[in-house]
Amino acid sequence: MTQAQQMPLFPPRSVKQLVDDVENLTQEIQDLYCSDEIPWILGVSFGKDSSAVLQLIWYAIAALPLEKRTKTIHLITTDTLVENPIISTWVRNCIKQVKLAANQQKMPVEPHLLHPSVQETFWVCLMGKGYPAPRNGFRWCTDRMKIQPVNHFIREMVRSHGETIVVLGTRKAESSKRAATMKRHEAGRVRDRLSPNSRLINSLIYTPVEDWRDDEVWLYLMQYPNPWGGDNKDLFTMYRGATADNECPLVVDTSTPSCGDSRFGCWVCTMVDQDKSMQAMILNDEEKEWMQPLLDIRNELDIKNDRDKRDFRRIYGRVELFERNMGDDTTSVEPIPGPYTKIWREHWLRRVLEAQTQIRKTAPLEMRDITLITPEELSEIRRIWLEEKHEFDDSLPRIYEEVTGEPFEDSRPAAERKLLGSDEWAVIEEICSEDKMHLELMAKLLDTERQYYTKPRRTGIYGDLDKCFETSSRSKEEAIGNAHYQRNLKKAVEDIKANPTEKIQQFKDAIAQTNCSAKNDTVDIAKLKEELESNSNQSRQLSWADIKFSPPNSGEEKPSD
């Protein structure tokens, strides 16, 4: 936000006014801290805003006598495992400094580094499950990687203490949207600067620097020394030269914007057009050119039209259609693309392992132990490919060894015990020739039987085998054609139910619009019309089973139509 945009909301203050505000905030923090036993949770990223808040609170609590420092202040920061490597190292060093200084100064500050669960990490979702790179319409990363770990920690604190106060460095001057959101929360305030949050039950939000401008944050950091042994000038140097001066704050709800332009964001972020921050780091500092492979992967992920890389079915195996507005008052009914295909999931795995191997050879010594994808993530990806996607060729260990030159060691017990493998996969590939759907069906059927073979009870096997046929027995053209057929049929039935006598011809037209897989379907039109008319005043809804599976004696007389 520009200075001109900030001035109407926050007119410039003199240095003396800022100093007075700091003194008032110090007293406010002390009074709030000593007023009850409610624990504090301070969200930090160790960027400018959260560092300023931590510094304000540190000075305020340090001014209290030791006997009043009885309430622990929990510092939480989230490592999504795809953070900018420079910032990840910075944050970990800050945490070490805070722990050491808290012990030496007898400060009730306890840092916590949070992580998403291994099932919800970026690479497990993208490579394992096949989720496409995040977009504004499908921003699956924020909730899984940031909100859930924070909310889990806060809920645990609420269970232990009944309620909490969450301290954040959010400011109204960050954006007009942020200002509007904070203003809405102010309407429900129960005490000065303490706002409720609907997503965090029994938690109040405290925002001490909500009215500060950017320049006031930097002025405070430059004039007041860092109390836990850090150097605020180093922080300023990290921000200097950045294309966008943004910080990625602690995320507690989905209203928080993407941090893709930020030095304190994820290096894989595709929520923005360009990662200007990483580009600035590489261009402005020769010592950071080793991060170029990361930027290349991020740019490769950020493709607007990735339909050729994704399945034509949704992740649960069904074709779903949506109407796309083509302009000129015309629409096109198209299938919704699903997860990345097998070949592309394997491609992203290879690319990340190649980047990790290259960086470990070319990066500065302090960065050569970098881990872009953890062994736990690799193990979970392998499990998903084998057990959920039935890809028993088990390509992950092979790709890992080809790229790294080292054998893959899976931490899961009995991970190497399997009845089907790459040899069996090669056989069915040869049998199915170029028919990918036939290959997929055979693999699913064989692996489903294999999974039940190892179970003490085989209850449910027939249902799972049916699902294999439902999702993989049609070619792409047949499956899409059948989805259109079902859509037309559903629309026609709805119209007939609204007006049975006049819409029967539309139903006949819909029946005629079949694909080759539906040509053998027959419907008793007269029977359907009779049932619709007789049930028009009843609450029972006609189902597809009523249409397709009529009683045996219903076909004695063929309709004249």
Side-chain angles (χ1 to χ4, degrees), residues 401-456:
E401 187 167 2
E402 288 175 358
V403 175
T404 65
E406 302 173 357
F408 177 68
E409 298 181 1
D410 200 325
S411 58
R412 288 185 301 126
E416 304 304 328
R417 294 173 56 186
K418 49 185 184 292
L419 299 177
L420 299 172
S422 57
D423 292 340
E424 290 77 11
W425 186 273
V427 170
I428 64 170
E429 266 190 325
E430 183 178 354
I431 293 173
C432 298
S433 185
E434 299 297 324
D435 192 339
K436 294 182 179 179
M437 294 306 298
H438 191 194
L439 170 63
E440 181 181 296
L441 177 61
M442 293 299 102
K444 284 186 175 181
L445 291 172
L446 285 171
D447 196 59
T448 299
E449 167 61 27
R450 189 272 309 169
Q451 290 182 8
Y452 276 92
Y453 178 79
T454 61
K455 294 181 179 180

Side-chain angles (χ1 to χ4, degrees), residues 349-363:
L349 172 64
R350 188 180 296 274
R351 291 283 287 113
V352 172
L353 290 174
E354 288 172 348
Q356 178 174 280
T357 303
Q358 180 180 346
I359 289 174
R360 286 179 174 178
K361 295 177 180 178
T362 61

Side-chain angles (χ1 to χ4, degrees), residues 114 147-157 159 200:
L114 310 181
I147 296 178
Q148 288 184 16
V150 169
N151 286 358
H152 176 74
F153 182 89
I154 293 175
R155 289 192 189 102
E156 290 300 315
M157 295 297 296
R159 289 191 184 100
L200 304 175

Side-chain angles (χ1 to χ4, degrees), residues 48-244:
K48 67 181 193 307
D49 296 336
S50 58
S51 294
V53 171
L54 175 56
Q55 194 164 296
L56 279 168
I57 291 177
W58 192 293
Y59 276 119
I61 305 306
L64 294 173
L66 286 176
E67 60 270 16
K68 290 189 176 183
R69 304 180 198 172
T70 57
K71 188 164 61 177
T72 302
I73 300 174
H74 299 274
L75 260 63
I76 61 172
T77 184
T78 306
D79 181 5
T80 62
L81 303 180
V82 284
E83 300 293 327
N84 184 309
I86 301 296
I87 303 307
S88 180
T89 302
W90 165 269
V91 169
R92 292 174 187 274
N93 289 337
C94 289
I95 289 175
K96 292 179 183 178
Q97 291 175 330
V98 167
K99 283 183 178 180
L100 182 61
N103 290 332
Q104 293 175 345
Q105 301 177 31
K106 297 185 180 348
M107 288 290 292
V109 177
E110 184 178 343
H112 305 268
L113 185 61
L114 310 181
H115 299 92
S117 64
V118 68
Q119 294 81 10
E120 305 292 354
T121 65
F122 185 86
W123 295 125
V124 167
C125 289
L126 187 135
M127 295 179 190
K129 302 173 185 178
Y131 286 4
R135 292 289 185 271
N136 288 323
F138 189 32
R139 186 182 171 187
W140 53 263
C141 52
T142 303
D143 182 73
R144 288 174 169 81
M145 295 158 50
K146 293 189 176 183
I147 296 178
Q148 288 184 16
V150 169
N151 286 358
H152 176 74
F153 182 89
I154 293 175
R155 289 192 189 102
E156 290 300 315
M157 295 297 296
V158 170
R159 289 191 184 100
S160 301
H161 302 276
E163 55 184 328
T164 61
I165 293 177
V166 180
V167 188
L168 301 176
T170 53
R171 296 179 298 109
K172 297 175 184 176
E174 293 177 62
S175 68
S176 57
K177 182 179 180 180
R178 174 55 57 86
T181 301
M182 296 179 71
K183 188 174 182 179
R184 286 199 306 272
H185 289 164
E186 286 179 10
R189 280 186 170 175
V190 294
R191 291 153 68 179
D192 288 344
R193 295 190 193 273
L194 293 181
S195 304
N197 189 297
S198 58
R199 290 183 63 97
L200 304 175
I201 305 302
N202 288 356
S203 297
L204 297 174
I205 307 296
Y206 178 40
T207 52
V209 296
E210 60 183 17
D211 295 329
W212 284 25
R213 303 192 315 271
D214 288 354
D215 59 326
E216 292 176 334
V217 173
W218 283 119
L219 182 61
Y220 172 72
L221 291 173
M222 293 300 104
Q223 295 301 317
Y224 290 78
N226 188 302
W228 58 85
D231 190 344
N232 290 337
K233 292 182 179 178
D234 291 341
L235 177 64
F236 181 77
T237 301
M238 282 187 13
Y239 274 90
R240 186 177 58 195
T243 306

